Amino acid sequence: MSGKFKAALLRLLLVLHLLTSLLLLLSVLLPLLHPRAFWPSGLAGLFFVPLLALSLCFIPVWWWWYKRPYYWLSIILLLPCIPAMEVSFGLHPFRQQPLEKKDNGFTIMSFNTSSMGLKHYMEDSAEQQSIYDMLQTASPDILCLQEFYTSPNKDRTDHLSLIQERLGYSDHFFTNDGNFFYTCYVGIVLYSRFPILHATRILLDTTNLGSGNSVLQADLRIDNDTVRVFALQLKSYMFRDAEYQDIRRIKTLRDITLSASRHVLAKMYPTFARRAQEADTLHTLIAQSPYPVLLCGDFNDVPVSYTYRTISRDMNDAFLSQGWGLGRTFHALSPTLRIDYILSQPAFQIDGYASFARKGFEHVPIMAALSLRR
């Protein structure tokens, strides 16, 4: 390798390292801002994990190959990244498997069912059976399902009643956020083996299109205590086949004219502020609760985000308490996306965490074992 080529490669690597470092820093700092004030803050945190991995790759390059001290840039950048790393990675490789609850404990599951296998208004019987098999294997005491679909029509499946019968739940509450042709009802549902003292649907958005227009609030009697459960799905990007095709073009570097990037971004950025506003509302609801709070659902946002930081304030994340690795819960876009959560206030002790990935599931069902501190 000639000296000129080696020097040019060194300069190129240094420019790339500086650019990666700047983007990594922005991915950590921008989510501290409210997306309503600066919309890129809603996007930046999505890139934290891959940018962190890329930044760390520069360390051996400078250390062993070029023998230059530039690797210190990546090492120093780890300091401002510590809070983001703390919410992004689970550090419990030897967590208890299978998940077991204490004698005075209970289990709670959160699962975005992707309409229970309903695709183009046609029921996928294989996916439905896989969902039922998973639910019966997990058998949580409290089950929270988002993007839930049911129908009283004799030609379709009454999931609302069928799940209650098969898993033996004593109570349930369904938000019934909308319907299609008066035969397909969609929303959020909570099933419980504990008595539901009171449940309600709290409106978050005035539109009935897509997710994020309501949150389910339910007060349960567990032994001699009352706890409040929030089950939710925050505003999603509502990607359709066209957007997923654009994303594939971007990932395979075929978006030469950047038209796909502009199309996807135009679909995303109006969602940032609306989801952040929903997070503000939820934080207020949690603060106003007279009972210890459990919260679970699909945030449609990563841990390094204004959304997660606002909702999880003064709460414990079941994955971070008992999980390992990145805890991916969404398969469609990236291997690093954890967007489904189970959070609890300090009144609860988190005794375990498990996930139930299955082939064909867009979201990974997650479950936690908890107990009330005495």
Side-chain angles (χ1 to χ4, degrees), residues 331-362:
H331 289 291
L333 300 176
S334 165
T336 64
L337 294 182
R338 182 166 76 96
I339 63 175
D340 301 88
Y341 306 90
I342 297 175
L343 307 179
S344 63
Q345 288 187 325
F348 297 92
Q349 178 174 307
I350 301 172
D351 302 315
Y353 177 90
S355 60
F356 295 81
R358 296 290 188 276
K359 184 178 180 180
F361 286 8
E362 192 173 71

Side-chain angles (χ1 to χ4, degrees), residues 35 92 104 120 207 271 293 368:
H92 303 274
N104 64 336
H120 306 292
T207 178
T271 306
V293 169

Side-chain angles (χ1 to χ4, degrees), residues 26-27 30-31 35 38-48 237 264-265 268-269 272 275 301-302 304-306:
L26 290 175
S27 75
L30 286 183
F38 188 59
W39 70 261
S41 67
L43 181 68
L46 289 169
F47 303 100
F48 168 70
Y237 299 119
V264 172
L265 188 59
M268 293 176 70
Y269 85 85
F272 300 144
R275 191 161 56 225
D301 223 334
V302 293
V304 185
S305 65
Y306 177 89

Side-chain angles (χ1 to χ4, degrees), residues 21-55:
S21 301
L22 175 62
L23 293 175
L24 177 60
L25 195 60
L26 290 175
S27 75
V28 171
L29 297 180
L30 286 183
L32 300 177
L33 303 175
H34 198 295
R36 187 170 52 199
F38 188 59
W39 70 261
S41 67
L43 181 68
L46 289 169
F47 303 100
F48 168 70
V49 172
L51 286 170
L52 177 65
L54 183 59
S55 178

Side-chain angles (χ1 to χ4, degrees), residues 20 23 112 189 221 228 287 289 291 310 343 353:
T20 300
L23 293 175
N112 183 322
V189 64
R221 175 68 72 180
R228 178 160 290 179
S289 172
Y291 310 117
T310 300
L343 307 179
Y353 177 90

Side-chain angles (χ1 to χ4, degrees), residues 21 26 44 50 53 78 94 120 124 167 214 231 315 327:
S21 301
L26 290 175
L78 289 176
F94 306 109
H120 306 292
D124 185 329
L167 275 79
S214 72
M315 300 190 78

Side-chain angles (χ1 to χ4, degrees), residues 28 48 78-88 303-304:
V28 171
F48 168 70
L78 289 176
L79 292 176
C81 289
I82 288 175
M85 289 190 290
E86 287 177 339
V87 298
S88 297
V304 185

